[in-house]
Amino acid sequence: GTVTKTFFLTALLVVSAAFTWNQLGSGQPPAWLMPMMKFGWIIPCGIAFVIAFKPRLAGMLSPIYAVTKGVIVGVISFVFEKQFEGIVLTSVLLTCGVLCALLGAYITGIIKPTENFKLGVFAATGGIFVFYLVSWILSFFGIQVPLIHGNGGFAIAFSVFVVIIAALNLVMDFDFIENGVTHGAPKHMEWYGAFALLVTLVWLYIEILRLLSKLRSRN
């Protein structure tokens, strides 16, 4: 059930992103696009927080999240593609490759999400979130954090670290879904698991985009 719902949500996101991409590439983008580019991230962010605390609403809100997040992903992808041709396709393929590799490693037991593993990934993810939040606040004062926006050695190393943590969150999602099946979780948790997996995949894709752009800008 979770697999089917994940494919459904991913399809919604891809269609929404493709539509937004086409609108941006047209001669006259629609009037709603500019406000959406500035404030559209608030909608999926708010929906994500609601779902996180109210999993029962995942079935109703996850499709809305996928569509609105798709708009943001479409805008980000379009901007990166304009700067570095071919970077979006490469990022999509790498994201799919990482997903398949980690799923295989999880199924075969190569990677085992122990309690220490979960604690470490959770702590690193929280640290990255706080770092990005502080960087976002500083951006209002015209301060750009080099680790995020630069292309130096430390900035690239930071992006590699974030990509690794984002990828390891996929293992956390696999474990969460499997435990839900094993313990007979309620049906609505299928939507919650699919939503969590989609969030991680989008994060991983964007971080791979960021990493590749840093590498390409050094050439």
Side-chain angles (χ1 to χ4, degrees), residues 47-68:
I47 291 174
F49 274 108
V50 172
I51 294 176
F53 291 101
K54 296 289 185 180
R56 288 185 175 277
L57 299 178
M60 179 177 63
L61 296 180
S62 291
I64 303 174
Y65 171 86
V67 172
T68 53

Side-chain angles (χ1 to χ4, degrees), residues 128 131-132 146-166 207 210-215 218:
I128 292 170
F131 181 76
Y132 277 162
L147 285 180
I148 296 178
H149 303 283
N151 63 352
F154 285 109
I156 291 175
F158 174 75
S159 281
V160 170
F161 171 73
V162 177
V163 167
I164 292 173
I165 297 303
E207 294 301 340
R210 197 192 304 274
L211 173 59
L212 292 180
S213 69
K214 290 179 181 180
L215 294 172
R218 289 170 64 93

Side-chain angles (χ1 to χ4, degrees), residues 54-153:
K54 296 289 185 180
R56 288 185 175 277
L57 299 178
M60 179 177 63
L61 296 180
S62 291
I64 303 174
Y65 171 86
V67 172
T68 53
K69 192 69 174 183
V71 174
I72 306 304
V73 171
V75 172
I76 293 173
S77 299
F78 183 85
V79 171
F80 273 98
E81 184 69 15
K82 279 295 183 181
Q83 292 180 299
F84 309 102
E85 186 177 354
I87 194 173
V88 168
L89 178 59
T90 304
S91 299
V92 169
L93 293 176
L94 284 173
T95 302
C96 294
V98 171
L99 172 64
C100 293
L102 285 178
L103 181 58
Y106 177 79
I107 292 174
T108 57
I110 296 175
I111 296 180
K112 297 181 180 180
T114 63
E115 290 304 316
N116 288 335
F117 174 91
K118 295 177 183 178
L119 181 62
V121 173
F122 180 80
T125 303
I128 292 170
F129 173 78
V130 172
F131 181 76
Y132 277 162
L133 179 62
V134 172
S135 301
W136 177 66
I137 294 174
L138 290 176
S139 68
F140 287 104
F141 302 95
I143 302 174
Q144 300 291 329
V145 179
L147 285 180
I148 296 178
H149 303 283
N151 63 352

